[in-house]
Amino acid sequence: HGLSLAKGKYVLFLDSDDYIEPDLISCVTKELNKGNDIIFWAYNTVDTTYSNKQCYFDIYSINDVTYNEGMQALKNILMKKKHWIWTGSAIYSRAFLYKYNLSFNSNHINGEDQEFIFSTLVYAEKVKYVPKVLSYYLIRDNSISTSFKIRKFDSTSALEKVYELLGKCNNVDLVILKSLNNYIVENYLYVYKSGLKEHNSNFMRNQLTLLDDIYPLYHEKMKKRMKEYRSNSKISNFEVYIAKKSMLIYGVVYRLIRKVKW
């Protein structure tokens, strides 16, 4: 709704409890008139005491870079893990968003942010990354994002929409499709494991039976994606192998060794 009312040349999304560095605008202003469709930057995740929970540069690249196509940025996000974009760590050209009718999918309660971000990268012609922490994502222990609801599986459905979009593109890099396939599987298991932290394996198995009512043929799609899953991590491959055989067994195994990071 905010996007539909926006009047400026550029838009930035920010939740009410997240915050930015005072010099964010001055840091990105020089990039605004260089034809960039998207400008994004580093961000840290913080708790309610404003202490860092996760520092961006502990995980991702610190190099300044300009991409002449958003697909290359998407490749570096999904395959090479060089960057990550959060809703509040990017500015978008409003004309660019309007040109391709890019907005948030209101049918999804979860994952609509990633669907939006990845979709904008599919269409973007020029993307700029600023290697400086300029915004902060606040996570509360009792927030919606940390408690399990069956609609958290919306995130997988949202990523499926991105996969469909990529499939319609001419000469799309198969590496991106394979990387996105892996990410969809990993996202699905991540949501499932978030439920296992609160509920037992039988409860979660019953929850999965409800998904086909929300998303027809959901399990058939996920089984196919798991068969196509390939990772450089032996642990990830083994994890998916168990899930592919039986989600009930997967849940039992996970709950037994949940103190060990997969």
Side-chain angles (χ1 to χ4, degrees):
H1 183 63
L3 180 58
S4 70
L5 297 175
K7 302 297 181 183
K9 290 179 64 176
Y10 299 89
V11 292
L12 163 66
F13 304 100
L14 198 70
D15 283 347
S16 60
D17 52 0
D18 301 321
Y19 59 99
I20 63 175
E21 284 288 347
D23 63 343
L24 183 150
I25 299 302
S26 62
C27 284
V28 301
T29 295
K30 60 182 180 180
E31 305 295 341
L32 293 181
N33 296 314
K34 294 183 179 180
N36 293 298
D37 294 320
I38 304 170
I39 303 167
F40 71 100
W41 50 84
Y43 69 94
N44 287 347
T45 301
V46 298
D47 58 24
T48 51
T49 66
Y50 304 106
S51 299
N52 286 331
K53 290 172 65 74
Q54 187 176 81
C55 296
Y56 188 91
F57 294 125
D58 288 344
I59 305 172
Y60 303 109
S61 168
I62 62 173
N63 296 324
D64 185 302
V65 63
T66 298
Y67 295 103
N68 290 322
E69 58 174 12
M71 283 285 202
Q72 189 60 43
L74 184 59
K75 184 176 181 179
N76 279 340
I77 286 172
L78 290 173
M79 179 186 171
K80 299 183 179 180
K81 316 294 185 185
K82 284 188 175 182
H83 307 294
W84 193 256
I85 302 177
W86 158 57
T87 311
S89 69
I91 281 180
Y92 300 86
S93 161
R94 189 167 66 91
F96 158 70
L97 296 179
Y98 278 22
K99 178 180 178 180
Y100 295 104
N101 194 29
L102 294 164
S103 187
F104 291 86
N105 187 340
S106 59
N107 292 323
H108 292 134
I109 296 174
N110 288 277
E112 75 285 355
D113 51 349
Q114 287 192 343
E115 179 184 354
F116 173 80
I117 292 166
F118 289 174
S119 296
T120 61
L121 291 174
V122 170
Y123 288 106
E125 295 181 6
K126 190 174 181 182
V127 178
K128 175 67 178 181
Y129 167 61
V130 178
K132 183 176 180 180
V133 173
L134 295 175
S135 55
Y136 298 86
Y137 176 24
L138 190 149
I139 296 182
R140 302 178 188 277
D141 291 337
N142 61 347
S143 70
I144 294 175
S145 62
T146 57
S147 59
F148 177 77
K149 299 288 187 298
I150 192 169
R151 290 300 297 272
K152 288 191 76 171
F153 284 103
D154 277 8
S155 58
T156 306
S157 176
L159 292 170
E160 290 281 0
K161 295 295 184 183
V162 180
Y163 195 94
E164 292 173 9
L165 175 62
L166 282 169
K168 297 176 183 178
C169 296
N170 295 325
N171 302 317
V172 63
D173 192 335
L174 293 179
V175 173
I176 295 180
L177 286 174
K178 291 179 180 178
S179 298
L180 182 55
N181 180 84
N182 281 7
Y183 184 65
I184 291 172
V185 172
E186 290 164 1
N187 180 270
Y188 168 70
L189 295 181
Y190 173 81
V191 174
Y192 190 75
K193 286 185 286 190
S194 73
L196 288 170
K197 292 176 181 178
E198 302 176 30
H199 308 284
N200 61 38
S201 301
N202 282 322
F203 175 88
M204 288 305 299
R205 180 181 62 175
N206 292 333
Q207 290 293 294
L208 291 182
T209 62
L210 300 176
L211 282 175
D212 279 330
D213 294 331
I214 303 174
Y215 307 113
L217 303 176
Y218 184 91
H219 293 295
E220 287 186 20
K221 291 179 181 179
M222 289 313 306
K223 285 183 178 180
K224 182 180 179 181
R225 295 214 174 280
M226 284 190 234
K227 289 180 180 178
E228 297 173 353
Y229 184 91
R230 299 291 185 279
S231 172
N232 292 327
S233 168
K234 292 182 179 179
I235 294 177
S236 295
N237 286 326
F238 180 65
E239 181 180 358
V240 173
Y241 173 79
I242 296 176
K244 183 172 58 179
K245 292 294 184 181
S246 169
M247 289 303 293
L248 179 61
I249 294 174
Y250 175 82
V252 171
V253 172
Y254 175 73
R255 284 179 63 85
L256 287 174
I257 58 174
R258 59 179 294 188
K259 292 183 179 180
V260 178
K261 185 177 181 180
W262 284 91

Short mmCIF file of all heavy atoms in Angstrom, two decimals, residues 183-204:
data_model
loop_
_atom_site.label_atom_id
_atom_site.label_comp_id
_atom_site.label_asym_id
_atom_site.label_seq_id
_atom_site.Cartn_x
_atom_site.Cartn_y
_atom_site.Cartn_z
N TYR A 183 18.03 -23.85 -2.73
CA TYR A 183 17.59 -22.92 -1.71
C TYR A 183 16.14 -23.18 -1.30
O TYR A 183 15.78 -23.05 -0.13
CB TYR A 183 17.76 -21.48 -2.19
CG TYR A 183 17.42 -20.45 -1.15
CD1 TYR A 183 18.19 -20.35 0.02
CD2 TYR A 183 16.33 -19.61 -1.29
CE1 TYR A 183 17.88 -19.43 0.99
CE2 TYR A 183 16.02 -18.68 -0.33
CZ TYR A 183 16.79 -18.59 0.82
OH TYR A 183 16.48 -17.67 1.80
N ILE A 184 15.31 -23.55 -2.26
CA ILE A 184 13.91 -23.87 -1.96
C ILE A 184 13.84 -25.07 -1.01
O ILE A 184 13.09 -25.07 -0.03
CB ILE A 184 13.11 -24.16 -3.25
CG1 ILE A 184 12.94 -22.87 -4.06
CG2 ILE A 184 11.75 -24.75 -2.93
CD1 ILE A 184 12.33 -23.08 -5.44
N VAL A 185 14.63 -26.11 -1.30
CA VAL A 185 14.67 -27.29 -0.45
C VAL A 185 15.15 -26.93 0.95
O VAL A 185 14.57 -27.34 1.96
CB VAL A 185 15.56 -28.39 -1.06
CG1 VAL A 185 15.75 -29.55 -0.07
CG2 VAL A 185 14.96 -28.91 -2.36
N GLU A 186 16.23 -26.15 1.02
CA GLU A 186 16.79 -25.77 2.31
C GLU A 186 15.81 -24.90 3.10
O GLU A 186 15.72 -25.01 4.33
CB GLU A 186 18.12 -25.04 2.08
CG GLU A 186 19.22 -25.97 1.57
CD GLU A 186 20.41 -25.21 0.99
OE1 GLU A 186 20.37 -23.96 1.01
OE2 GLU A 186 21.35 -25.87 0.51
N ASN A 187 15.08 -24.04 2.40
CA ASN A 187 14.08 -23.21 3.06
C ASN A 187 12.95 -24.06 3.63
O ASN A 187 12.49 -23.84 4.76
CB ASN A 187 13.53 -22.19 2.07
CG ASN A 187 12.48 -21.28 2.67
OD1 ASN A 187 11.29 -21.59 2.64
ND2 ASN A 187 12.90 -20.16 3.23
N TYR A 188 12.52 -25.05 2.85
CA TYR A 188 11.46 -25.97 3.29
C TYR A 188 11.88 -26.70 4.56
O TYR A 188 11.12 -26.78 5.54
CB TYR A 188 11.18 -26.95 2.17
CG TYR A 188 10.34 -28.15 2.54
CD1 TYR A 188 8.98 -28.01 2.84
CD2 TYR A 188 10.88 -29.43 2.57
CE1 TYR A 188 8.20 -29.11 3.18
CE2 TYR A 188 10.11 -30.53 2.90
CZ TYR A 188 8.77 -30.37 3.20
OH TYR A 188 8.01 -31.46 3.53
N LEU A 189 13.11 -27.22 4.58
CA LEU A 189 13.59 -27.95 5.76
C LEU A 189 13.81 -27.01 6.94
O LEU A 189 13.61 -27.40 8.09
CB LEU A 189 14.88 -28.70 5.42
CG LEU A 189 14.73 -29.82 4.38
CD1 LEU A 189 16.07 -30.50 4.14
CD2 LEU A 189 13.68 -30.85 4.82
N TYR A 190 14.20 -25.79 6.66
CA TYR A 190 14.40 -24.80 7.73
C TYR A 190 13.07 -24.53 8.45
O TYR A 190 13.01 -24.49 9.68
CB TYR A 190 14.96 -23.50 7.14
CG TYR A 190 15.05 -22.37 8.13
CD1 TYR A 190 16.12 -22.29 9.02
CD2 TYR A 190 14.06 -21.40 8.19
CE1 TYR A 190 16.19 -21.25 9.95
CE2 TYR A 190 14.12 -20.36 9.10
CZ TYR A 190 15.19 -20.29 9.98
OH TYR A 190 15.26 -19.26 10.89
N VAL A 191 12.01 -24.34 7.67
CA VAL A 191 10.69 -24.10 8.26
C VAL A 191 10.24 -25.32 9.04
O VAL A 191 9.71 -25.21 10.15
CB VAL A 191 9.67 -23.75 7.17
CG1 VAL A 191 8.26 -23.64 7.78
CG2 VAL A 191 10.03 -22.44 6.48
N TYR A 192 10.45 -26.49 8.46
CA TYR A 192 10.06 -27.73 9.14
C TYR A 192 10.79 -27.88 10.47
O TYR A 192 10.19 -28.23 11.49
CB TYR A 192 10.37 -28.93 8.23
CG TYR A 192 9.81 -30.24 8.71
CD1 TYR A 192 8.45 -30.52 8.59
CD2 TYR A 192 10.62 -31.21 9.27
CE1 TYR A 192 7.92 -31.72 9.02
CE2 TYR A 192 10.11 -32.42 9.71
CZ TYR A 192 8.76 -32.68 9.58
OH TYR A 192 8.24 -33.87 10.01
N LYS A 193 12.09 -27.59 10.47
CA LYS A 193 12.87 -27.69 11.71
C LYS A 193 12.44 -26.64 12.74
O LYS A 193 12.50 -26.90 13.94
CB LYS A 193 14.37 -27.55 11.39
CG LYS A 193 14.95 -28.80 10.73
CD LYS A 193 16.45 -28.70 10.53
CE LYS A 193 16.81 -27.78 9.42
NZ LYS A 193 18.26 -27.86 9.07
N SER A 194 12.00 -25.48 12.27
CA SER A 194 11.51 -24.47 13.22
C SER A 194 10.28 -24.99 13.96
O SER A 194 10.07 -24.68 15.13
CB SER A 194 11.19 -23.17 12.49
OG SER A 194 10.00 -23.26 11.73
N GLY A 195 9.48 -25.81 13.26
CA GLY A 195 8.32 -26.43 13.92
C GLY A 195 8.72 -27.51 14.89
O GLY A 195 8.10 -27.69 15.94
N LEU A 196 9.79 -28.24 14.55
CA LEU A 196 10.26 -29.33 15.41
C LEU A 196 10.84 -28.81 16.73
O LEU A 196 10.96 -29.56 17.70
CB LEU A 196 11.31 -30.16 14.68
CG LEU A 196 10.79 -31.06 13.55
CD1 LEU A 196 11.96 -31.63 12.75
CD2 LEU A 196 9.92 -32.19 14.11
N LYS A 197 11.20 -27.55 16.76
CA LYS A 197 11.72 -26.96 18.00
C LYS A 197 10.59 -26.74 19.01
O LYS A 197 10.85 -26.60 20.21
CB LYS A 197 12.43 -25.64 17.70
CG LYS A 197 13.71 -25.83 16.89
CD LYS A 197 14.34 -24.48 16.54
CE LYS A 197 15.59 -24.67 15.71
NZ LYS A 197 16.20 -23.37 15.30
N GLU A 198 9.34 -26.71 18.52
CA GLU A 198 8.19 -26.47 19.39
C GLU A 198 7.28 -27.69 19.51
O GLU A 198 6.55 -27.82 20.49
CB GLU A 198 7.37 -25.29 18.85
CG GLU A 198 8.13 -23.99 18.73
CD GLU A 198 7.28 -22.90 18.09
OE1 GLU A 198 6.05 -22.93 18.26
OE2 GLU A 198 7.85 -22.02 17.43
N HIS A 199 7.31 -28.57 18.49
CA HIS A 199 6.36 -29.68 18.44
C HIS A 199 7.08 -30.99 18.12
O HIS A 199 8.21 -30.98 17.63
CB HIS A 199 5.29 -29.40 17.38
CG HIS A 199 4.61 -28.08 17.52
ND1 HIS A 199 3.65 -27.84 18.49
CD2 HIS A 199 4.76 -26.92 16.83
CE1 HIS A 199 3.24 -26.59 18.37
NE2 HIS A 199 3.89 -26.01 17.39
N ASN A 200 6.38 -32.12 18.38
CA ASN A 200 6.99 -33.41 18.09
C ASN A 200 6.85 -33.79 16.62
O ASN A 200 6.15 -33.11 15.85
CB ASN A 200 6.41 -34.52 18.99
CG ASN A 200 4.92 -34.72 18.78
OD1 ASN A 200 4.41 -34.65 17.67
ND2 ASN A 200 4.21 -34.98 19.88
N SER A 201 7.48 -34.89 16.23
CA SER A 201 7.53 -35.31 14.83
C SER A 201 6.15 -35.66 14.28
O SER A 201 5.84 -35.37 13.12
CB SER A 201 8.48 -36.50 14.68
OG SER A 201 9.77 -36.15 15.13
N ASN A 202 5.30 -36.30 15.11
CA ASN A 202 3.96 -36.66 14.65
C ASN A 202 3.12 -35.42 14.36
O ASN A 202 2.37 -35.38 13.38
CB ASN A 202 3.25 -37.52 15.70
CG ASN A 202 3.72 -38.96 15.67
OD1 ASN A 202 3.97 -39.51 14.59
ND2 ASN A 202 3.85 -39.57 16.84
N PHE A 203 3.26 -34.41 15.20
CA PHE A 203 2.53 -33.16 14.97
C PHE A 203 2.95 -32.55 13.65
O PHE A 203 2.09 -32.12 12.85
CB PHE A 203 2.79 -32.17 16.11
CG PHE A 203 2.17 -30.81 15.88
CD1 PHE A 203 0.87 -30.56 16.30
CD2 PHE A 203 2.88 -29.80 15.26
CE1 PHE A 203 0.29 -29.32 16.09
CE2 PHE A 203 2.31 -28.55 15.05
CZ PHE A 203 1.02 -28.31 15.46
N MET A 204 4.24 -32.51 13.40
CA MET A 204 4.74 -31.89 12.17
C MET A 204 4.34 -32.70 10.94
O MET A 204 4.04 -32.13 9.89
CB MET A 204 6.25 -31.72 12.24
CG MET A 204 6.70 -30.62 13.19
SD MET A 204 5.93 -29.01 12.84
CE MET A 204 6.53 -28.71 11.16
#
